[in-house]
Structure formats: structure tokens, C-alpha cells
Amino acid sequence: MSSSYTDFTIGAPVVDKAAPDGPIETRWERRRFGVKLVNPANKRKMHIIVVGTGLAGGAAAATLAELGYRVSSFCYQDSPRRAHSIAAQGGINAAKNYRNDGDSVHRLFYDTVKGGDFRARESNVHRLAEISRQIIDQCVAQGVPFAREYGGLLDNRSFGGAQVSRTFYARGQTGQQLLLGAYQALERQIDAGGVTMYPRHEMLELIVVDGHARGIVARDLITGETRSHLADAVVLASGGYGNVFYLSTNAKGCNVTASWRAHRKGALFANPCYTQIHPTCIPVSGDHQSKLTLMSESLRNDGRVWVPERKGDDRNPNDIPEDERDYFLERQYPAFGNLVPRDIASRAAKNVCDEGRGVGPTGLGVYLDFAEVISRLGRPAVAAKYGNLFQMYQRITGEDPYQVPMRIFPAVHYTMGGLWVDYDLQSTIPGLFVAGEANFSDHGANRLGASALMQGLADGYFVLPNTIGDYLATQKHAPVDPDAPEVRQAEADVAERIDTLLSIDGDRTVDSFHRELGHIMWEHCGMERTDAGLRKALDRIPELRREFWSNVKVPGKGVELNQSLERAGRVADFLELGELMCLDALHRTESCGGHFRAESQSEDGEAARDDENFSYAAAWEYTGRGEAPVLHKEDLTFEYVTPSQRSYK
């Protein structure tokens, strides 16, 4: 283990200078009024780069162009509509209280802060809860086909971490339908000339001039050409980094490179160890897999989670009588039952499997059973709500969930950490804004289900278009000279990195390194972390990284389509990120949300926070590969929610 890396230093506190004070109910409105505005004629002169075309990036690019800015939009997919947001299934939260069951902005705010185990900013979460109501109106106006009740009103269903029905949905395709809404808005601006689209382009470097983000270096993934793109501001909306674990529910192409390039240029990376494990995934079936498949959390509305009472009971589940089944979530958490938050449900499933009561060929699975709701409502009613999800499960597993229970097991899904941003979504590099899952700001240590889509659209449609103008209005940037030293250096760094990867000509494939890294991360920085395990990971990851840079095999040439080269660059960044994740988990000797330290738990196995010593966001400063990072703490204060031991019982 590199002692220089683990013996990190603590730097000056980081402060959110953009955050307003005063009554929380009026903070966002007062901030919107306080920002400086850009003259419409001046907007046409200003150029903004947006990296990523998911819900946050697509919504931001479309809205900024509609406001009059010139926008360049980048995605590595062949079309913006293939962004990973399309994979979200279950729904999007909003405090509309259509069910008249006691919901409100304050209740959504409270549930989100509590669900994040009191490790999120109050101001940001309250803003998110406020904007949630506008998001639904925006999406309905775009034609998003939300499910409706018989009378025509929008329908709602329940989701984990809440006792009210506030989740709007479009069967099991909510992310897809929301993304199509943002995609249509984006395509309209492309057609109007406000957005220039760069599909099949990957950001490989951030250009910083005089301390401000002024552009990116991107590689055309078809031709292999790399070139600079310059602007007045840069927005990163490039998603999360769950694929550091190799196996996750993320699309295979999801990566951390855009954020990590910015981190290496000075943007602080906050709370990297906060990883969400989703409890409702199809279990691993073999070493051939390169990703995992998510089954929507909405299934826990009607599906009942259980395992056999007896260890090693391998009978057909339909042959196991009721009195020999353990509906463990309903038993342990009677108030919330199967709708406890994801971190709670995931650990409970792991525990019963560790006891030897797991199901399926590997013993790493629990049942999600729909027999009761099918009997009560009938198969047509269940099919109307979940039919496409049931079809997907049957195609993947060959088992009919109408006849036998689904088998599910926790898997890496979402990352709550990301680049540190202030209330305006601006990073520690002026002019670099970060939206959606790429930033750290709203979810604390655990994201409630149906809140990712909410945050992405809130950031893209409503927050960023208001706050980025405050930055642009105060700048008097002259156009950046394409031959400026900072631009040429960024281009040279990218070229050197590509040349190095192509010249190593080792014996191991890129995927073999990624798979080994993922195994280390899952074993030692996954659902449960220990001091010994994290130190073991911090011993091995630097060794693996050194071997990567001396023994990886990247076939082909740089000036052509080369997917091995794409993956190599991403895995190189994952190897550095993985080390920081383990260090962050090692230093945080408490349990909170998705970060569960075995040494810090209550008598009944629940996460035990240490508010006295760890009520802060950990924002890490990059100082060089293998060198000790600097930890900057942003203290979290709670005026409207009192931190307490979470209880869903």
C-alpha cells in the first residue's frame, strides 16, 4: 500500500458560497431573483458545451438553446436517445398529493433527507422537492404518456422510503418516455440551429484557461480524430461511475472519464464511497456476464420478498407452504415492509443469504412473489401495471413470473458521490457546471427510488438555466485562441495518453483488468466494508494499476474505430477512482446509507452514524497519481430536519 496515498492531509474547509440563507421555503425563489441576468442579445454571442445527453444533459442543452445560447452537445452514443437514462423503469417522484394521502413538498423534502441518512444539504433537497411539481407539468406538456386513472387523472404508485404514493410512471418505461420528451426538445433546437450535436464523441480532457473551464478535447470515436472545442462555459452531465464495479445495472458504456478528467484539473470529487446497491436485480448467472439487469423497484409495491425458513431448502417455491416462508422485510420493518429504502432492503437480503437461506443455483437470491396480488386483482390487472417487466424477466431467465416467483439479488446501481458543486451547480473550477448523477449534491448517502429522474430533470430544465447566467454575466471572456498554451497542452496530454495505451502491447486484455478491479471493489468496497478489507483493496489496486500501464493489450491504431482503446481509457480512470473510493470509505469510520462499515452498526445490525465526527461532505482534491489527496470538508447543518437514527419499523 502506498503510504503517501493513504496518509492524506486535510485542507481548508470547502464552503458553498452560493447557498442562500433565510427561510428554506423561499431560498430558491430568492436565489433566482438574485442571480445576474444575461441580455438576450448577449446570449446569442455565448457558447456553452454540454457533455452528456441523458435527462440532465438533454434537458440542459435544449433549455439553454431555447434561452438563446449557442450550445454544443456531446455524447459517445450514436444518438442522444441512447443515453442511460432510458433504462430507468419505475417512476419519478413529485409532491403533487394527487392521492390526497398526506404528501407535501415538506414531506418529500423530509423523506429524501432521511432516506439519504442525513448526509445531504437541506437547501438542495428542498429545492428539488419544490421543483418536482413543475417537472410533471413540463413533461405532460411534452406529451410524456404517464399512466392515468380511469377518470383521466395522472396515476401514482408507492416507492421505497415513503408511505405516500407520489411516484408518477409510464408502465416500466418511465426513463425511456421522459428521455424521449427531452430528446424531442433537444432535436427541435438542433433543427433550429441552436444546438450543434456531436454524437459518437467522447470527452477526454477539460481545457482550463486562466483558472476557468473554457472547453474540452474530444475524440471522434468513428474516425479517431481528437480536437479541441472551445466555449464560455462547460456543463458535465455524464452520469455516474457504478461501472467501476464491472458488474452493475449501468449500460456497459457508462464511465467516469469526463468527471475524472475534470477532477484531475482541479474539480473536487465528493463522497466517492457512497454507492447505492439496488435490491431488485436479476442474480448473476455466470462469469460470462458483463452487466446486470435491473428489475424496477415498483415491483416491490405488489411483490412480496421472502426466503425459506429452513437453510438449504431447494424445493420449488410453490411447494413451500406459507408457514415455512420468511417474509423478512415485512417481519423486520412492519411500518414500511417491502417498501423500505434500497440500502435497508439490500442489506437485509444479503444477511438472509449469508445465513444460508438464499435461493437459486448460487444461493445468492431471494424471491419476489406476485401470487397474492395475482389472486387478489387478477392477471390482467397485474399485466397492465408490470407486463413489460415480466416479459423482460422471462426472456432473460426463461421463468414465467406469473407462475413462479422472481429471483432477485442486490447489485450496484447508482452513485451518490460525484463532482462537488455549490448551490448553483458550479464546481470548484469556475465555469464548470455539473448536473444530474455526475454531481453529488442531492441524495446524501442513499438515493430514494424515483429520485434520480427527478434530479436530472430539475437540474437540466430548471436549475442550471437559471444559475449559469449568473456566472456568464460576470465574465468578460475574450475568445480562447485555439493555439493557446493551455489548449495545446490539453491536446498533447490526450495524444500522449492514447499513444501510450497503444504502445504497451502487453499480455492482458482491458476487460481482464476491469473484471479484477470490479471483484476487488465488490468484495471490499461493496455492500459491506471493513477496515481490513479496505486496506487490502488499497494494497492491491495500485499494484493492478501499475500492471495495467505495463501489460495491457490494446490492439489497433489510434486513427480509426477502436473500441478496445475506448475501454482502455475508461478502465485507466476507474483504476484511479477505485483507489479514491476505498480511501474515502476507509476514512469514514461510520455507517450511513449505502456506506456500511461492519465496525459501525447497532445491536440489530442497522447502520450507526457518527454525527459528531462525520456530518460533512468529503470533497477530495487530486494531487497526482498515487499521491496523497487532500480532504476538504463541507460541514452539513440541519435547521429543519433533526438527524436521528433512521427507523422504518
Side-chain angles (χ1 to χ4, degrees):
M1 179 167 53
S2 170
S3 60
S4 63
Y5 192 82
T6 55
D7 295 337
F8 62 89
T9 57
I10 297 178
V14 61
V15 179
D16 181 2
K17 297 180 180 179
D21 54 14
I24 198 168
E25 298 85 358
T26 61
R27 287 178 185 175
W28 173 229
E29 188 59 38
R30 285 185 286 111
R31 179 58 187 148
R32 288 178 62 202
F33 181 75
V35 299
K36 295 179 175 62
L37 301 179
V38 179
N39 182 303
N42 289 337
K43 288 177 182 175
R44 293 191 291 270
K45 304 173 186 177
M46 295 178 176
H47 183 199
I48 301 171
I49 286 172
V50 180
V51 180
T53 55
L55 289 181
T63 308
L64 291 169
E66 190 169 336
L67 288 172
Y69 296 106
R70 292 184 294 113
V71 178
S72 293
S73 177
F74 292 79
C75 69
Y76 64 76
Q77 299 92 344
D78 56 2
S79 165
R81 64 177 293 179
R82 292 181 63 85
H84 183 60
S85 298
I86 205 169
Q89 299 166 340
I92 178 170
N93 289 330
K96 287 286 197 179
N97 195 31
Y98 282 176
R99 288 287 184 91
N100 197 30
D101 54 1
D103 201 12
S104 64
V105 167
H106 188 80
R107 189 176 296 278
L108 176 54
F109 158 68
Y110 173 81
D111 286 346
T112 305
V113 173
K114 176 185 175 183
D117 221 347
F118 306 96
R119 290 292 177 263
R121 296 172 178 156
E122 283 189 331
S123 293
N124 287 67
V125 177
H126 198 279
R127 174 174 67 185
L128 183 63
E130 291 177 57
I131 291 174
S132 70
R133 299 170 300 176
Q134 299 171 260
I135 294 171
I136 302 303
D137 297 339
Q138 167 92 3
C139 294
V140 169
Q142 289 176 332
V144 173
F146 288 119
R148 293 179 181 267
E149 295 178 329
Y150 179 78
L153 298 177
L154 297 184
D155 197 9
N156 292 123
R157 59 188 177 198
S158 301
F159 247 56
Q163 291 177 304
V164 296
S165 294
R166 64 162 66 103
T167 303
F168 295 77
Y169 65 98
R171 295 189 76 189
Q173 308 171 352
T174 313
Q176 177 178 347
Q177 298 303 328
L178 293 172
L179 184 62
L180 288 174
Y183 170 72
Q184 290 174 123
L186 176 61
E187 288 295 318
R188 177 174 177 267
Q189 293 303 320
I190 293 172
D191 183 66
V195 175
T196 302
M197 189 69 227
Y198 293 90
R200 284 293 184 187
H201 279 68
E202 183 169 28
M203 172 184 162
L204 296 181
E205 190 57 273
L206 178 71
I207 296 173
V208 179
V209 179
D210 294 332
H212 291 251
R214 297 302 305 272
I216 66 172
V217 179
R219 180 173 184 265
D220 185 322
L221 299 180
I222 303 298
T223 67
E225 177 191 10
T226 59
R227 70 183 184 93
S228 297
H229 302 263
L230 303 174
D232 296 294
V234 176
V235 176
L236 297 187
S238 49
Y241 49 87
N243 274 351
V244 69
F245 290 88
Y246 187 74
L247 287 177
S248 82
T249 66
N250 286 234
K252 185 61 178 170
C254 292
N255 62 85
V256 76
T257 291
S259 294
W260 198 253
R261 298 293 99 198
H263 176 54
R264 289 171 62 106
K265 281 293 182 73
L268 300 184
F269 207 108
N271 298 335
C273 78
Y274 287 168
T275 306
Q276 179 166 80
I277 311 296
H278 197 297
T280 318
C281 300
I282 297 177
V284 176
S285 60
D287 291 339
H288 63 281
Q289 284 184 262
S290 60
K291 75 174 300 295
L292 298 174
T293 302
L294 170 70
M295 298 307 295
S296 170
E297 181 172 309
S298 64
L299 294 171
R300 290 199 278 146
N301 273 290
D302 292 304
R304 300 181 70 192
V305 180
W306 64 275
V307 291
E309 286 276 8
R310 179 166 52 86
K311 295 181 181 180
D313 190 340
D314 58 0
R315 287 178 290 174
N316 184 300
N318 293 333
D319 294 335
I320 301 177
E322 281 289 316
D323 61 357
E324 296 182 32
R325 300 179 178 189
D326 179 14
Y327 294 91
F328 57 93
L329 292 179
E330 298 173 33
R331 171 175 56 82
Q332 296 177 43
Y333 306 99
F336 281 72
N338 296 302
L339 289 175
V340 292
R342 292 173 176 177
D343 61 322
I344 305 288
S346 294
R347 284 197 295 274
K350 176 183 182 297
N351 290 339
V352 295
C353 291
D354 289 347
E355 293 170 5
R357 295 193 288 145
V359 301
T362 64
L364 298 177
V366 300
Y367 289 126
L368 182 60
D369 195 335
F370 294 87
E372 189 273 336
V373 69
I374 292 173
S375 174
R376 177 165 48 88
L377 299 179
R379 176 167 172 162
V382 175
K385 295 171 72 174
Y386 308 118
N388 60 314
L389 298 171
F390 278 40
Q391 291 170 5
M392 181 170 67
Y393 181 87
Q394 185 169 8
R395 287 172 183 157
I396 291 171
T397 66
E399 300 172 0
D400 183 357
Y402 292 105
Q403 302 296 326
V404 296
M406 290 183 179
R407 288 180 292 109
I408 58 170
F409 192 68
V412 172
H413 179 54
Y414 187 91
T415 48
M416 285 73 67
L419 293 182
W420 186 92
V421 293
D422 63 14
Y423 190 74
D424 288 351
L425 304 185
Q426 186 168 205
S427 74
T428 47
I429 299 176
L432 177 67
F433 291 78
V434 191
E437 191 179 356
N439 74 38
F440 89 108
S441 64
D442 289 2
H443 305 299
N446 175 62
R447 177 178 67 86
L448 291 185
S451 289
L453 304 184
M454 179 171 59
Q455 187 211 348
L457 292 179
D459 287 356
Y461 281 137
F462 298 104
V463 179
L464 191 65
N466 280 286
T467 60
I468 199 170
D470 189 67
Y471 167 78
L472 293 170
T474 61
Q475 303 305 308
K476 300 187 182 301
H477 283 142
V480 175
D481 183 351
D483 292 319
E486 297 91 340
V487 178
R488 291 304 184 201
Q489 185 61 56
E491 294 171 343
D493 290 344
V494 169
E496 180 183 11
R497 184 178 175 86
I498 290 173
D499 290 344
T500 300
L501 288 169
L502 291 169
S503 66
I504 295 170
D505 197 27
D507 298 325
R508 288 188 62 176
T509 65
V510 173
D511 282 354
S512 74
F513 282 101
H514 195 181
R515 189 184 292 273
E516 182 174 349
L517 173 65
H519 178 74
I520 294 168
M521 296 299 296
W522 178 251
E523 289 297 314
H524 303 304
C525 199
M527 266 197 288
E528 183 171 302
R529 294 98 185 257
T530 66
D531 184 276
L534 290 166
R535 291 183 184 278
K536 185 175 180 180
L538 287 167
D539 274 338
R540 178 56 186 147
I541 293 174
E543 295 173 355
L544 187 65
R545 186 176 64 243
R546 286 190 289 271
E547 184 181 354
F548 175 89
W549 284 104
S550 64
N551 197 34
V552 71
K553 174 72 173 180
V554 182
K557 299 178 181 178
V559 289
E560 60 184 13
L561 173 68
N562 190 337
Q563 291 182 312
S564 292
L565 178 61
E566 293 173 34
R567 291 197 298 272
R570 296 166 186 171
V571 172
D573 290 328
F574 280 143
L575 285 163
E576 295 186 15
L577 168 68
E579 191 167 8
L580 184 63
M581 290 175 67
C582 291
L583 178 64
D584 189 39
L586 180 66
H587 110 275
R588 189 172 284 274
T589 55
E590 65 161 355
S591 293
C592 55
H595 168 64
F596 188 80
R597 287 289 295 267
E599 304 91 346
S600 183
Q601 56 184 301
S602 63
E603 290 183 1
D604 54 355
E606 301 294 346
R609 291 194 325 274
D610 179 356
D611 291 338
E612 182 178 352
N613 294 303
F614 290 101
S615 188
Y616 60 78
W620 297 90
E621 177 186 352
Y622 182 82
T623 60
R625 183 191 297 172
E627 297 300 319
V630 177
L631 172 61
H632 301 269
K633 301 177 182 180
E634 180 198 345
D635 290 332
L636 299 172
T637 58
F638 296 93
E639 302 174 64
Y640 295 87
V641 177
T642 301
S644 59
Q645 178 67 35
R646 281 194 306 166
S647 175
Y648 294 92
K649 297 182 177 181

